[in-house]
Amino acid sequence: MVLCPARPPRGTRTSNGATGATRSSAFMFPYFIMLIFCGIPLFFMELSFGQFASQGCLGVWRISPMFKGVGYGMMVVSTYIGIYYNVVICIAFYYFFSSMTHVLPWAHCNNPWNTPDCASVLDASNLTNGSRPAPLPSNLSHLLNHTLQRTSPSEEYWRRYVLRLSDDIGNFGEVRLPLLGCLCVSWVVVFLCLIRGVKSSGKVVYFTATFPYVVLTILFVRGVSLEGAFTGIMYYLTPQWDKILEAKVWGDAASQIFYSLGCAWGGLITMASYNKFHNNCYRDSIIISITNCATSVYAGFVIFSILGFMANHLGVDVSRVADHGPGLAFVAYPEALTLLPISPLWSLLFFFMLILLGLGTQFCLLETLVTAIVDEVGNEWILKKKTYVTLGVAVAGFLLGIPLTSQAGIYWLLLMDNYAASFSLVIISCIMCVSIMYIYGHRNYFQDIHMMLGFPPPLFFQICWRFVSPAIIFFILIFTVIQYRPITYNHYQYPGWAVAIGFLMALSSVICIPLYALSQLCRTDGDTLLQRLKNATKPSRDWGPALLEHRTGRYAPTIPPSSEDGLEVQPLHPDKAQIPTVGSNGSSRLQDSRI
């Protein structure tokens, strides 16, 4: 069975362009449609793809060498996400350490960084005796209801103390040393957990994948017992049908599905390559996808129950306290936690959960990059020195993440999140579908799955892979481009040059596909362009199952190897030789040796 560390709902992720809490009621219907017709089918495709070939996101493209650029595009996306995602984890570490106190530092307005506009939901007496907060004075409630001029202590703590936010994306200011230290801690933890590759990360993910459910359940039980929780949950569940026709809602739903399930990152292919050849990845894909997305919905109940309590306490609508992106994870929810008795305890649990969820994702991202590098180089030295490759990738990720800990770091983090890992994911998935179904051939791929699992993919998946999923992705991409709006952060409008950099980051992963295709076309033998195109797209001779014992049917060798030929079957990758491993969603597997 696969352990699935469900990633945080994109509303809790630092994504300004993603669907936030304020749009969750309009988001649920498109979310489930995208899950059924895109998420689960593509998840199954990537698992079966990696498991059949026992290769990472680069090696699998022996199926059609001309499209190996898709694998490089996946690596670029994983690189971007790995850089900024660990910064999110480091901020969660910072809040976790800051919660180790009697009174949370964002609970009141008597700190040096607070402004005269700061208005806390707690008064001085509540801070000292720990009792349930008294109702706010009528004048402050009126202020919150009508003018919303208030700035909360949690917001000022976030902007003026944690980030010391600059006024422009080009004004880096100074590096925030506390965040830099937490970033170092985060990368050290990730490296130590992956120091022995999937051998060590497998044991860690058993904890990081399961304990967040314990924390979620504790917070859920506490949240639903609070006054006003039902109002918040109803706001979460009530559809806003007037927004269903907005292309951005559907684009956000697709982006959330790709993000939550890890499609097009390369991680699913990489971790599935550690599976046994005959493992039932069809069953795994159904269980993982449903469990993962159910966890996201469950987390929504946890979040909105407490936000409903906060709205009831302030006497305002839930939409006034709900936020999206970093505002939800590091402003709105932390402020709501200050209203609970023993608030530091709940804060510790919440940020510890975010750290564990983040680490589960980061393990996958780093292992994807390391495995791709090791498999691509493939010589004996790099196979033995994989730990040094892991260390090198971790150090590079830390150095590239340093600018994101500056005073303008949050601007760059949101820029990377909105452009580097958004619509490029759907483009990569669409091209992957087309190349496998129409270039390699759907009949060939269905036969491969039949040989591996003992049965062909169900008709629903065949139709989705060939028609439905690519069509949905294509139309969402078109309408998203038509209704495109430049990125903003609160009231800050990104300058044109910053948006241009964002588009360049997005194109840097997609451009790998045509560039590599042209390169492969030029290096392929053939008298005519059509002949070269045909040779560049047909499977290479070593495409197929890794072990000789599994190479049956059309993959059966015509001349069996003998000792006189000096041929010897040996594993290409020591880590993939009967080792318990953990995949991108925490999957524990035993992997066959590779030739």
Side-chain angles (χ1 to χ4, degrees), residues 505-523:
M505 285 191 291
L507 291 175
S508 63
S509 57
V510 178
I511 200 66
C512 294
I513 301 173
L515 288 181
Y516 189 88
L518 290 174
S519 173
Q520 183 70 19
L521 200 60
C522 294
R523 291 184 284 112

Side-chain angles (χ1 to χ4, degrees), residues 34 151 240 528:
M34 294 302 302
T151 58
Q240 296 178 351
T528 64

Side-chain angles (χ1 to χ4, degrees), residues 388-408:
Y388 294 103
V389 179
T390 305
L391 177 62
V393 174
V395 171
F398 169 73
L399 295 176
L400 292 173
I402 291 178
L404 302 185
T405 62
S406 67
Q407 291 179 262

Side-chain angles (χ1 to χ4, degrees), residues 111-182:
N111 299 290
W113 58 82
N114 291 127
T115 66
D117 295 329
C118 179
S120 174
V121 296
L122 301 172
D123 57 26
S125 62
N126 290 326
L127 288 176
T128 57
N129 59 28
S131 62
R132 187 183 185 279
L136 290 175
S138 59
N139 59 339
L140 182 55
S141 294
H142 179 80
L143 182 67
L144 288 169
N145 274 308
H146 296 90
T147 63
L148 292 177
Q149 296 297 318
R150 164 187 176 265
T151 58
S152 66
S154 61
E155 181 179 357
E156 293 195 351
Y157 180 78
W158 164 251
R159 295 173 63 89
R160 297 176 59 84
Y161 184 74
V162 177
L163 301 179
R164 293 188 182 176
L165 191 64
S166 65
D167 58 354
D168 185 72
I169 188 173
N171 182 15
F172 283 90
E174 63 180 11
V175 172
R176 297 286 293 119
L177 293 181
L179 293 182
L180 182 63
C182 290

Side-chain angles (χ1 to χ4, degrees), residues 5-13 85 256 259-260 296 299 354 357-358 361:
R7 295 177 175 87
R10 196 175 171 100
T12 63
R13 172 192 176 206
Y85 200 85
Q256 168 64 29
Y259 177 82
S260 180
S296 297
L354 288 186
L357 291 172
T361 300

Side-chain angles (χ1 to χ4, degrees), residues 313-511:
H313 181 91
L314 296 175
V316 299
D317 188 77
V318 179
S319 61
R320 300 293 183 91
V321 298
D323 202 346
H324 63 274
L328 178 61
F330 300 113
V331 177
Y333 202 80
E335 183 179 19
L337 293 176
T338 63
L339 300 174
L340 301 177
I342 324 177
S343 56
L345 173 62
W346 304 111
S347 182
L348 283 170
L349 287 174
F350 175 71
F351 288 109
F352 186 55
M353 178 188 69
L354 288 186
I355 291 170
L356 293 182
L357 291 172
L359 289 176
T361 300
Q362 196 67 17
F363 294 158
C364 168
L365 293 168
L366 190 63
E367 185 64 30
T368 298
L369 296 174
V370 171
T371 300
I373 294 172
V374 171
D375 285 355
E376 188 69 7
V377 177
N379 59 42
E380 185 178 354
W381 181 88
I382 201 168
L383 292 174
K384 293 181 178 179
K385 303 296 183 180
K386 184 181 177 181
T387 300
Y388 294 103
V389 179
T390 305
L391 177 62
V393 174
V395 171
F398 169 73
L399 295 176
L400 292 173
I402 291 178
L404 302 185
T405 62
S406 67
Q407 291 179 262
I410 192 66
Y411 297 124
W412 290 98
L413 190 150
L414 292 173
L415 187 72
M416 295 177 69
D417 184 45
N418 276 266
Y419 290 95
S422 56
F423 64 86
S424 56
L425 293 177
V426 297
I427 294 177
I428 289 173
S429 275
C430 188
I431 295 177
M432 181 179 68
C433 264
V434 171
S435 61
I436 294 176
M437 290 294 105
Y438 295 99
I439 305 301
Y440 178 63
H442 64 276
R443 291 187 179 87
N444 290 332
Y445 195 68
F446 297 161
Q447 290 173 10
D448 291 342
I449 293 180
H450 190 281
M451 183 177 72
M452 180 174 65
L453 302 182
F455 57 89
L459 181 62
F460 171 78
F461 288 90
Q462 296 183 23
I463 295 174
C464 285
W465 288 346
R466 294 182 62 191
F467 308 110
V468 180
S469 298
I472 290 177
I473 292 172
F474 178 75
F475 282 112
I476 286 179
L477 183 62
I478 295 299
F479 286 115
T480 301
V481 171
I482 294 174
Q483 296 188 10
Y484 167 77
R485 294 179 182 176
I487 180 177
T488 60
Y489 176 51
N490 293 336
H491 300 295
Y492 176 75
Q493 185 75 39
Y494 278 67
W497 63 266
V499 175
I501 291 177
F503 276 111
L504 289 176
M505 285 191 291
L507 291 175
S508 63
S509 57
V510 178
I511 200 66

Side-chain angles (χ1 to χ4, degrees), residues 548-549 551 556-569 595:
L548 188 62
E549 63 189 82
R551 298 182 73 90
T558 55
I559 302 178
S562 63
S563 57
E564 297 179 357
D565 297 326
L567 299 177
E568 180 182 1
V569 176
I595 297 177

